[in-house]
Amino acid sequence: MKILITGASGLIGGVLRTHLGEFGRYTISGVDARDVDDDSLASFTLGDCYDYDAMSLAFEGQDAVVHLAANAPVETPWPDVLRNNIASTHNVYEAAREHGVKRVVFASSNHAVGNFELDEPYKSIVVGDYSLIDNDPSNIVQVDHTVPIRPDSDYGVSKVFGEATGRYYNEHFGLEVACLRIGGVVPQNRPMNIRAYATWLSHRDLAHLVDRCLVADISYEIFYGVSNNRWRFWDIEYARETIGYEPQDRAEDWK
Amino acid sequence: MKILITGASGLIGGVLRTHLGEFGRYTISGVDARDVDDDSLASFTLGDCYDYDAMSLAFEGQDAVVHLAANAPVETPWPDVLRNNIASTHNVYEAAREHGVKRVVFASSNHAVGNFELDEPYKSIVVGDYSLIDNDPSNIVQVDHTVPIRPDSDYGVSKVFGEATGRYYNEHFGLEVACLRIGGVVPQNRPMNIRAYATWLSHRDLAHLVDRCLVADISYEIFYGVSNNRWRFWDIEYARETIGYEPQDRAEDWK
């Protein structure tokens, strides 16, 4: 299976270059505005996803695209969000359509629904106070793929945009689309703060989730990318049932 | 109450300049990239909402903004959608925040959920075939404010973007926001095709709906803008209960 990773030079791009390779079923190419030194890539295109002509040819002959290219910080200022997260994401869907790519896995973000953390019990959970749920994770009402969007930033709004564009391209052009509301992925690959005991996503669970999104039977879906953490409040049951997501890691094992 | 209409020179801008004036409680100003000849306006700013500096000063001292400025055709090409519907809409919310405007009424569109018309019974209803619902409107499951977004175009995606930005500005900055998924508004002010027997919105019902959104107690809401048509499939009960929307017109009276 030939796949193209946009943003291949970034943090998650690196995780996927390493771990998706281990599944043995992917021929991986990359596109990124920054160069990367990785001999395992079948090909690499140096190009900015904002520049349609610079990057769209890399889509030719691909079976699927994993779209990661974006400004990742939630604090990204609006002009950069508009250019690198909104306009670039449109270009990726359009290049996939133009070149007959069958599927796009879109790196959405938990920040598309980040404002649930303004409300209890999530507000307490992210600061490590579990008293409102009687210290029992089964009391947490999970935020799932059916909740209203509640972006917490311009960055979060751009992820809603990417999910909406995916839905449009799915329903009008038959593109298969999986949107992943990815949690906390860090270079250290372990929970680095209190919130991460709810929100952490390990590198291998991330790669497994993307693998399932690439090979399972889907049309348009939204899934949460989070490890099987004790204090998690993003639903993984739907991904388990729909595509067989079975996370191996738990943030509390690092306590 | 001082209100500013963006896109004041357009079709809906004209409807609101005429009919909102009749309520007697508004001092209306306008901003638009195209000039307009209307002595009833308290002030008019010639400026493109894409150009923040050209238009943002018009927001100073306003109690509310009705944001209509956009490319209106559902077929608008992506570069224009990006500039005039996405970037400009961000600017309007930001100018409202910067200048302490309390409320924004955003002209969203039925095209944010237009793909429900790919499914039955809506697909049949819009071509005038009411057999699937046994010619009984009470059999129509209404598309309401809680359905998943299903944009039918880049234009529709831009309206989802505007709704998402409104939610963000509401939850983070306290801006009151009403998003109106507006149906079919035409210069002739009557149903002009078969679909319009479901989707038509009369000028006076539109003005009444905007008036309710300006004066009722709201935080963040999504409402459908449609007259009380026999074959309508967009919910108006929620707007009736929440803000007292009572449409006077029905498309079938034109049969």
Side-chain angles (χ1 to χ4, degrees), chain B residues 146-169:
Chain B
T146 70
V147 301
I149 56 97
R150 294 182 64 184
D152 59 12
S153 52
D154 288 327
Y155 171 85
V157 169
S158 78
K159 296 304 185 180
V160 175
F161 166 86
E163 293 182 1
T165 305
R167 182 122 195 188
Y168 165 51
Y169 273 76

Side-chain angles (χ1 to χ4, degrees), chain A residues 44-251:
Chain A
F44 180 79
T45 302
L46 187 66
D48 187 330
C49 287
Y50 183 72
D51 180 356
Y52 190 84
D53 294 334
M55 65 79 166
S56 60
L57 284 179
F59 287 61
E60 184 64 33
Q62 301 293 340
D63 297 307
V65 169
V66 180
H67 175 41
L68 310 174
N71 284 118
V74 65
E75 307 84 3
T76 303
W78 168 248
D80 296 327
V81 167
L82 181 63
R83 182 190 192 283
N84 299 323
N85 295 21
I86 290 180
S88 295
T89 292
H90 172 89
N91 285 350
V92 166
Y93 281 113
E94 178 58 19
R97 186 202 62 74
E98 183 189 355
H99 292 282
V101 176
K102 203 173 166 195
R103 185 170 295 194
V104 168
V105 178
F106 168 57
S108 181
S109 168
N110 68 88
H111 294 286
V113 291
N115 274 350
F116 279 90
E117 292 170 44
L118 298 176
D119 298 346
E120 298 294 2
Y122 317 110
K123 186 178 175 179
S124 290
I125 290 171
V126 295
V127 295
D129 177 357
Y130 311 122
S131 59
L132 282 174
I133 48 168
D134 294 330
N135 293 292
D136 182 352
S138 70
N139 290 328
I140 305 174
V141 176
Q142 299 288 308
V143 175
D144 72 7
H145 61 292
T146 70
V147 300
I149 57 97
R150 293 181 65 183
D152 60 13
S153 52
D154 288 327
Y155 171 86
V157 170
S158 79
K159 296 304 184 179
V160 174
F161 166 86
E163 293 182 1
T165 306
R167 182 122 197 188
Y168 165 52
Y169 273 75
N170 171 255
E171 295 202 306
H172 269 242
F173 305 115
L175 189 70
E176 297 166 347
V177 177
C179 301
L180 301 182
R181 291 179 178 167
I182 295 173
V185 177
V186 290
Q188 299 87 344
N189 199 23
R190 52 160 293 180
M192 297 297 288
N193 55 41
I194 297 287
R195 178 174 178 268
Y197 286 100
T199 62
W200 181 55
L201 174 60
S202 76
H203 292 184
R204 66 175 175 173
D205 286 343
L206 168 61
H208 164 63
L209 177 59
V210 172
D211 174 61
R212 295 313 307 157
C213 286
L214 288 167
V215 300
D217 190 26
I218 61 157
S219 177
Y220 176 85
E221 297 293 353
I222 294 170
F223 302 119
Y224 288 86
V226 61
S227 287
N228 192 21
N229 313 317
R230 180 172 174 82
W231 302 112
R232 104 187 125 66
F233 47 82
W234 298 321
D235 172 70
I236 58 175
E237 286 309 311
Y238 184 69
R240 202 191 301 267
E241 292 163 13
T242 310
I243 56 169
Y245 175 54
E246 297 289 352
Q248 301 302 304
D249 292 309
R250 307 182 303 183

Side-chain angles (χ1 to χ4, degrees), chain B residues 1 26 64 103-105 176-180 207-218 221 223 239 243:
Chain B
M1 187 173 183
Y26 299 110
R103 184 170 296 195
V104 168
V105 177
E176 298 167 346
V177 177
C179 301
L180 301 182
H208 164 62
L209 177 59
V210 171
D211 174 60
R212 297 311 308 156
C213 286
L214 287 168
V215 299
D217 190 25
I218 61 158
E221 297 292 353
F223 302 118
I243 56 170

Side-chain angles (χ1 to χ4, degrees), chain B residues 29-48:
Chain B
S29 294
V31 58
D32 201 303
R34 292 166 302 171
D35 209 351
V36 67
D37 186 22
D38 185 341
D39 291 341
S40 74
L41 287 176
S43 70
F44 180 79
T45 302
L46 188 66
D48 188 331

Side-chain angles (χ1 to χ4, degrees), chain B residues 109-110 181-185 195 199-201 224-226 234:
Chain B
S109 168
N110 68 89
R181 291 179 178 166
I182 295 173
V185 177
R195 178 174 178 269
T199 62
W200 180 54
L201 175 60
Y224 288 86
V226 62
W234 298 320

Side-chain angles (χ1 to χ4, degrees), chain B residues 6-216:
Chain B
T6 75
S9 310
L11 169 62
I12 292 180
V15 170
L16 295 184
R17 280 185 279 113
T18 301
H19 290 276
L20 277 187
E22 295 166 2
F23 288 91
R25 54 173 156 251
Y26 299 110
T27 302
I28 306 177
S29 294
V31 58
D32 201 303
R34 292 166 302 171
D35 209 351
V36 67
D37 186 22
D38 185 341
D39 291 341
S40 74
L41 287 176
S43 70
F44 180 79
T45 302
L46 188 66
D48 188 331
C49 287
Y50 182 72
D51 180 356
Y52 190 84
D53 294 335
M55 64 81 168
S56 60
L57 283 180
F59 287 62
E60 184 63 33
Q62 301 294 339
D63 298 307
V65 169
V66 180
H67 174 41
L68 309 174
N71 285 118
V74 65
E75 308 84 3
T76 303
W78 168 248
D80 295 327
V81 167
L82 180 64
R83 183 190 192 283
N84 298 324
N85 295 21
I86 290 179
S88 295
T89 293
H90 172 88
N91 285 350
V92 165
Y93 281 114
E94 179 57 20
R97 185 201 62 75
E98 183 189 354
H99 291 282
V101 176
K102 201 173 167 194
R103 184 170 296 195
V104 168
V105 177
F106 168 57
S108 183
S109 168
N110 68 89
H111 294 286
V113 292
N115 275 350
F116 279 90
E117 293 171 45
L118 298 175
D119 299 346
E120 299 293 3
Y122 316 109
K123 186 178 175 179
S124 290
I125 290 172
V126 295
V127 295
D129 177 357
Y130 310 122
S131 59
L132 281 175
I133 48 168
D134 294 330
N135 294 292
D136 181 352
S138 70
N139 290 328
I140 305 174
V141 176
Q142 299 288 308
V143 174
D144 73 7
H145 61 292
T146 70
V147 301
I149 56 97
R150 294 182 64 184
D152 59 12
S153 52
D154 288 327
Y155 171 85
V157 169
S158 78
K159 296 304 185 180
V160 175
F161 166 86
E163 293 182 1
T165 305
R167 182 122 195 188
Y168 165 51
Y169 273 76
N170 172 253
E171 295 203 308
H172 270 243
F173 305 114
L175 189 70
E176 298 167 346
V177 177
C179 301
L180 301 182
R181 291 179 178 166
I182 295 173
V185 177
V186 290
Q188 298 86 348
N189 199 22
R190 52 161 293 182
M192 297 297 288
N193 57 40
I194 297 287
R195 178 174 178 269
Y197 286 101
T199 62
W200 180 54
L201 175 60
S202 76
H203 293 185
R204 65 175 174 173
D205 286 345
L206 168 60
H208 164 62
L209 177 59
V210 171
D211 174 60
R212 297 311 308 156
C213 286
L214 287 168
V215 299

